[in-house]
Amino acid sequence: KNKNKKNKIFSFLFLPDGTNFETENYIDSAITLANLNKEYLVFIKVHPSQTLKFPYQIPKNLKVVDQKLEDFLERNLVYYAIYTSSSSIIQAILSGLCPIYYQYSSEQNTNPIYMFWKKKNYLKDLNDLCKLEYLNEIELYKDEIAINCKYYFEKLNLEPLLK
């Protein structure tokens, strides 16, 4: 289904929540990952309430997503979605992306889909994304998580309200 995965192009979408702290952390992390492996495609989509400010030059393999998440996901340019507390991960999973929970802080677990994850698979070090073993292990749970996310939210049926 995903052309990038078939062609062995590793692509990652960072999905920070709407806080300044996480947005800044994710900007730094996206830049770090893009610099770790120049062949990776790295994208960042900030929460609509945030303004994206890069503190310095960004690598060529890092792209800022400025369109609606739904429109971006329809193009299916990304294989992995990195998140911590953003509920947009559910939309990404339902669009076929493989989720990676990024535990950059040990203070608290804010994973909106914590009940579907095995804690040992949390990403704690960006260098792990350069290890195929880690990525292969994450993929083992992708389908199971997607099935569970399908029932996480039920779409609102406006029909009865409009009568």
Side-chain angles (χ1 to χ4, degrees):
K1 184 179 176 179
N2 189 303
K3 289 177 258 181
N4 281 339
K5 183 64 177 165
K6 258 188 219 172
N7 295 332
K8 301 293 181 204
I9 297 171
F10 290 94
S11 50
F12 301 86
L13 172 63
F14 281 83
L15 294 169
D17 66 13
T19 63
N20 288 337
F21 178 77
E22 188 163 299
T23 299
E24 289 170 12
N25 186 294
Y26 269 51
I27 290 169
D28 290 342
S29 296
I31 291 170
T32 299
L33 181 61
N35 283 326
L36 277 173
N37 192 325
K38 298 289 186 192
E39 293 188 18
Y40 284 178
L41 294 175
V42 181
F43 300 89
I44 187 165
K45 170 69 175 140
V46 297
H47 190 276
S49 68
Q50 293 292 309
T51 305
L52 192 60
K53 296 177 193 143
F54 282 99
Y56 31 82
Q57 194 71 10
I58 63 171
K60 290 183 181 184
N61 57 329
L62 173 60
K63 306 289 182 221
V64 176
V65 177
D66 55 4
Q67 64 215 75
K68 288 168 61 175
L69 181 61
E70 184 178 336
D71 295 339
F72 178 75
L73 293 174
E74 279 180 19
R75 293 186 13 223
N76 209 20
L77 295 173
V78 179
Y79 190 75
Y80 298 99
I82 299 171
Y83 73 101
T84 300
S85 58
S86 176
S87 61
S88 59
I89 189 59
I90 295 165
Q91 186 178 4
I93 291 168
L94 294 176
S95 295
L97 276 66
C98 184
I100 298 175
Y101 178 74
Y102 185 23
Q103 189 175 18
Y104 59 84
S105 168
S106 60
E107 289 178 23
Q108 62 183 350
N109 182 343
T110 56
N111 185 351
I113 57 169
Y114 71 92
M115 66 288 273
F116 311 135
W117 269 101
K118 294 188 176 15
K119 196 169 186 168
K120 70 178 184 119
N121 292 324
Y122 287 178
L123 175 68
K124 294 179 179 93
D125 183 350
L126 289 173
N127 287 307
D128 287 344
L129 294 176
C130 296
K131 299 174 187 168
L132 283 178
E133 311 86 58
Y134 175 79
L135 295 175
N136 289 335
E137 194 169 324
I138 288 294
E139 285 184 47
L140 293 175
Y141 304 103
K142 177 184 176 214
D143 293 336
E144 181 182 334
I145 290 171
I147 289 167
N148 287 309
C149 282
K150 189 175 181 182
Y151 301 106
Y152 196 81
F153 288 117
E154 187 175 327
K155 256 192 169 173
L156 182 61
N157 180 1
L158 295 175
E159 195 83 20
L161 298 174
L162 297 174
K163 289 182 180 180

